[in-house]
Amino acid sequence: MKNVEDLGKFVGKWFTVLVILWAAFNYFVPVTSAWVVPNTKYLLGIILFGMGLTLTGEDFKRIAQHPVPVFAGTVAHYVIMPTLAWLLTLIFHLDGAIAAGVILVGSCPSGTSSSVMAYLAGGDVALDVSIETLSTLLAPIALPSLLVLFAHKFVSIPTQSLFLSTVEIVLIPLVLGVVVHTLFKKQIDKVTLALPLVSQVAILLIIGAVISANHANLFTAATEIVIPVVVLHNLSGYALGFGFSKLMRLRDPQRKAITFEVGMQDSSLGATLAMAYFAPAAAIPSTIFSIWHNISGSVLSTYWKRHTESKAEKETTPVTGAVQG
């Protein structure tokens, strides 16, 4: 198990690079991940089941004891990101499946990578996990409702099917993971060491599948506009998430957590639902978002970590060179 844990740490350290390389490989050799395309929902279920295995009663108790920042962060996530997505479709004159795909990824719950970024940045990881958990639990209601509100003019929204699929793909694996952890805590604590690696491999497979399904249309005149839209969506999410947390007068670690929770999306869920219920092109924004937010999140967490370390160093450095009279 130690070898698996070490491999997971190695993959986590280089995950952004691996995502880019794997996406490029599948673009040029799309047959590699063609077999994964019909199985993405099962991979996503594995990721969410793994997330459930890491949760305990303390996580839910923490939400109940400190509800304000958790609820504020969750509301900010579900207000800021879908609204930004809708505005970007208007500004860039997007239409059809591409517009729906941008709004779909904007309506997804918080991304699983956000807690890693918050940890690396010195953020409040407990708050991050709480918001991630709550936004995921609310996804079956929030996601179809937001799509009906913002995307109905672009595509037909199968509300009931989306609700049932989100329950099946997200809620059931998550709750099942919590139950299994509760019943078999001692055994599960050993297994959880391997969960980061399992989730990372599953995310890579989903990215490969979406690239494989869309390789012919990924960089065409019709879809190239998606890249700046996704970049603006993510960066604006960070900025507004940080600004919101500052207005709430939250502490610095909490501001970092909310910034990542607002700006990072569960793009794997977006890609999976897009391929199941909309055109394959609707999965392109989620795929690009998945690649980009790992890059931007890594850069932002590194900047914050260095800034915090530099500030701490200045505060602990003794003043020298006093003027002598």
Side-chain angles (χ1 to χ4, degrees), residues 155-183:
V155 290
S156 175
I157 311 296
T159 311
Q160 186 176 355
S161 298
L162 276 171
F163 170 78
L164 293 174
S165 282
T166 311
V167 169
E168 178 189 354
I169 296 172
V170 176
L171 204 57
I172 291 176
L174 181 69
V175 173
L176 188 59
V178 174
V179 171
V180 171
H181 190 177
T182 304
L183 295 176

Side-chain angles (χ1 to χ4, degrees), residues 239-321:
L240 291 174
F242 182 80
F244 170 79
S245 61
K246 208 163 185 180
L247 283 175
M248 291 283 294
R249 297 186 177 181
L250 299 175
R251 294 179 293 106
D252 185 58
Q254 293 176 317
R255 290 201 296 264
K256 291 176 181 177
I258 288 180
T259 298
F260 286 117
E261 278 301 306
V262 170
M264 301 187 78
Q265 301 295 94
D266 189 348
S267 47
S268 298
L269 175 62
T272 300
L273 293 176
M275 290 198 294
Y277 293 106
F278 306 110
I284 293 175
S286 290
T287 305
I288 296 173
F289 203 105
S290 183
I291 297 168
W292 168 253
H293 81 171
N294 278 293
I295 296 171
S296 65
S298 298
V299 171
L300 181 57
S301 62
T302 300
Y303 166 76
W304 258 335
K305 182 180 180 182
R306 290 177 179 172
H307 178 73
T308 303
E309 289 174 348
S310 175
K311 185 178 178 182
E313 188 177 330
K314 287 178 181 177
E315 289 175 353
T316 56
T317 302
V319 179
T320 58

Side-chain angles (χ1 to χ4, degrees), residues 106-120:
S107 303
C108 285
S110 301
T112 53
S113 301
S114 60
S115 55
V116 178
M117 301 305 174
Y119 169 74
L120 293 174

Side-chain angles (χ1 to χ4, degrees), residues 207-232:
I207 289 171
V210 178
I211 295 288
S212 175
N214 291 284
H215 74 282
N217 302 311
L218 203 55
F219 297 112
T220 64
T223 58
E224 63 185 6
I225 192 66
V226 175
I227 295 175
V229 168
V230 164
V231 171
L232 278 172

Side-chain angles (χ1 to χ4, degrees), residues 74-140:
T74 304
V75 170
H77 176 88
Y78 275 129
V79 169
I80 290 172
M81 293 306 279
T83 305
L84 274 176
W86 174 69
L87 288 173
L88 287 167
T89 63
L90 298 180
I91 293 168
F92 286 87
H93 305 290
L94 302 181
D95 200 6
I98 292 295
V102 171
I103 293 171
L104 174 57
V105 72
S107 303
C108 285
S110 301
T112 53
S113 301
S114 60
S115 55
V116 178
M117 301 305 174
Y119 169 74
L120 293 174
D124 187 337
V125 179
L127 174 60
D128 190 287
V129 171
S130 297
I131 297 172
E132 184 181 333
T133 302
L134 186 58
S135 69
T136 303
L137 289 172
L138 293 174

